Amino acid sequence: MDSSIKTPQIHHAAHEHGHDEEGSKMFGFIVFLLSESVIFLSFFAGYIIYKTTNPNWLPAGVEGLEIVAPTINTIILVSSSFVIYLAERCLQQHNLAGFRIYLLATMAMGSYFLYGQYVEWSQLEFGFTSGTYGGMFYLLTGFHGLHVFTGILLQSMILIRSFIPGNYDNGHFGVNSTSLFWHFVDVIWIILFILIYVWQ
């Protein structure tokens, strides 16, 4: 009689403990993203200060950046935030097949963005050492590209873990944190796109 009463209580307590632990992990991850935001904000501030105090800071012979291809890349990257959201929804509904498909689509969109950035870099008429502008451009886009690459690696990890039976039965912290990281990367790129390509 006692054991039949205690067993559900034990399971409930274990579930509550797991929920609290997952919440603590997410809080720590949000703090990490805030620290990353500070780094990016310092870069943004530096870019704005240099641009506003040096109107003719473009490298010699460079009149501006081509905006069509970066705009397409931006649309693809920002759209991938919606796709990874769909992956989260599928996992919540225990639809692993849909989760994997949407996650693969997100990874493909992120990879396309990195490829587009590589193509753009290879066609630019200036390099990292081409004055302040060259250094700031490659620093900002390169640091962001590193975050996109990291996001793709994280997505590949949670995709692999989805093939472990029962892996996501006790929580989705890995998926939720990876999705949050991806949304963060997309928001940062929107700001970068406006600063670098729109505000020329």
Side-chain angles (χ1 to χ4, degrees):
M1 180 70 176
D2 291 339
S3 61
S4 63
I5 296 175
K6 291 180 180 179
T7 299
Q9 293 175 342
I10 292 173
H11 284 305
H12 178 72
H15 175 75
E16 288 296 323
H17 174 72
H19 180 74
D20 292 342
E21 184 178 355
E22 187 166 317
S24 298
K25 289 180 180 179
M26 183 57 71
F27 175 77
F29 189 75
I30 291 174
V31 172
F32 163 74
L33 289 183
L34 289 175
S35 66
E36 289 289 289
S37 300
V38 172
I39 296 175
F40 274 108
L41 286 174
S42 64
F43 288 160
F44 297 159
Y47 183 91
I48 293 171
I49 291 171
Y50 278 119
K51 180 174 176 58
T52 54
T53 56
N54 298 278
N56 299 317
W57 73 325
L58 291 175
V62 177
E63 296 181 356
L65 297 170
E66 194 272 330
I67 195 173
V68 176
T71 299
I72 294 173
N73 286 342
T74 299
I75 293 172
I76 291 173
L77 185 65
V78 173
S79 298
S80 69
S81 267
F82 178 69
V83 179
I84 199 172
Y85 167 76
L86 293 178
E88 278 189 285
R89 294 281 295 176
C90 284
L91 186 60
Q92 292 169 1
Q93 298 167 1
H94 307 289
N95 179 5
L96 282 178
F99 170 72
R100 292 164 183 157
I101 290 173
Y102 283 122
L103 196 59
L104 281 170
T106 305
M107 295 169 63
M109 295 168 83
S111 299
Y112 181 89
F113 174 84
L114 288 180
Y115 172 74
Q117 192 170 63
Y118 164 76
V119 171
E120 180 189 15
W121 280 14
S122 65
Q123 296 175 348
L124 291 175
E125 301 176 350
F126 59 91
F128 183 78
T129 58
S130 300
T132 304
Y133 179 81
M136 291 294 291
F137 174 85
Y138 282 99
L139 176 64
L140 288 170
T141 58
F143 191 54
H144 175 266
L146 178 62
H147 281 70
V148 174
F149 180 72
T150 301
I152 294 173
L153 288 181
L154 291 174
Q155 291 168 33
S156 66
M157 290 173 61
I158 62 175
L159 176 63
I160 292 172
R161 291 181 67 85
S162 73
F163 290 95
I164 302 175
N167 181 71
Y168 292 123
D169 289 348
N170 298 320
H172 303 156
F173 168 74
V175 175
N176 294 336
S177 58
T178 297
S179 179
L180 183 60
F181 180 82
W182 196 250
H183 296 319
F184 168 78
V185 167
D186 286 358
V187 170
I188 291 296
W189 178 254
I190 292 174
I191 299 173
L192 278 178
F193 179 76
I194 294 173
L195 287 178
I196 295 177
Y197 295 97
V198 178
W199 185 34
Q200 294 195 51

